[in-house]
């Protein structure tokens, strides 16, 4: 009798402990369902960046009489130029020119009659080519991360490029 009573008591203790335990599988299934809903919402709201074709929008043009600072660049300065920066201090303009040339850009440094240095990344005989070059550069550096990187690397963001029409 003591064996049956002991066995019954042990069975009740085991049953008592197992009935109070939370069911992990119920929590797990609710968690997984919530994660799946979150993933579906993320998939539908995520914007995928697609490449947009380069369109040549005519930029505002400023007409100035400019001369090349370096005699070697005088032959490369044409009627329409893409200006990335205007600086009043020559060492700053030279430093920017050197950084851009180091990164593979063809850069011309020109000075206007008021003494401003124009940092030019492309000079062309026609306006359409200058507009296309400007659009290409602006598209290449269009994301916010690129703007921050460019500001840190060059001190400019390439977001205010303009066309210079050379007056003779």
């Amino acid at each position: 009798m003591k064996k049956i009573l002991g066995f019954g008591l042990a069975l009740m203790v085991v049953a008592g402990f197992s009935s109070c335990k939370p069911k992990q599988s119920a929590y797990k299934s609710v968690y997984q369902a919530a994660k799946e809903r979150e993933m579906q919402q993320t998939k539908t709201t995520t914007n995928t960046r697609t490449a947009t074709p380069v369109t040549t929008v005519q930029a505002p043009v400023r007409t100035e009489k400019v001369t090349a600072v370096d005699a070697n660049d005088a032959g490369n300065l044409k009627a329409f130029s893409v200006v990335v920066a205007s600086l009043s201090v020559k060492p700053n303009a030279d430093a920017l020119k050197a950084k851009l040339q180091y990164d593979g850009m063809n850069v011309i440094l020109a000075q206007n009659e008021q003494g401003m240095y124009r940092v030019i990344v492309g000079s062309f005989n026609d306006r359409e080519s200058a507009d296309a070059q400007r659009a290409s550069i602006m598209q290449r550096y269009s994301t916010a991360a690129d703007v921050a990187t460019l500001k840190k690397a060059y001190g400019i963001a390439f977001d205010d490029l303009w066309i210079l029409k050379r007056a003779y």
Side-chain angles (χ1 to χ4, degrees), residues 19-131:
S19 66
C20 294
K21 195 191 273 187
K23 297 196 178 196
Q24 290 181 350
S25 61
Y27 292 122
K28 191 174 184 179
S29 65
V30 170
Y31 175 76
Q32 287 177 343
K35 273 300 213 186
E36 286 177 18
R37 280 193 305 271
E38 182 180 331
M39 292 299 285
Q40 288 175 350
Q41 288 175 350
T42 304
K43 285 180 185 176
T44 59
T45 59
T46 302
N47 291 334
T48 57
R49 185 176 173 182
T50 57
T52 54
V54 176
T55 55
T56 56
V57 177
Q58 287 196 342
V61 175
R62 299 178 196 170
T63 303
E64 293 181 345
K65 185 173 183 180
V66 293
T67 55
V69 173
D70 187 6
N72 295 334
D73 291 335
N76 296 331
L77 191 58
K78 299 189 170 55
F80 293 93
S81 301
V82 181
V83 178
V84 295
S86 298
L87 304 165
S88 61
V89 180
K90 187 175 185 309
N92 293 347
D94 286 332
L96 179 58
K97 178 182 176 182
K99 286 179 186 178
L100 292 170
Q101 283 179 329
Y102 180 78
D103 289 340
M105 291 191 177
N106 187 14
V107 184
I108 300 169
L109 191 59
Q111 186 176 22
N112 69 5
E113 293 176 318
Q114 290 77 31
M116 292 294 292
Y117 294 95
R118 307 300 191 195
V119 182
I120 297 169
V121 293
S123 194
F124 306 93
N125 288 325
D126 60 304
R127 167 122 186 234
E128 292 77 23
S129 298
D131 283 329

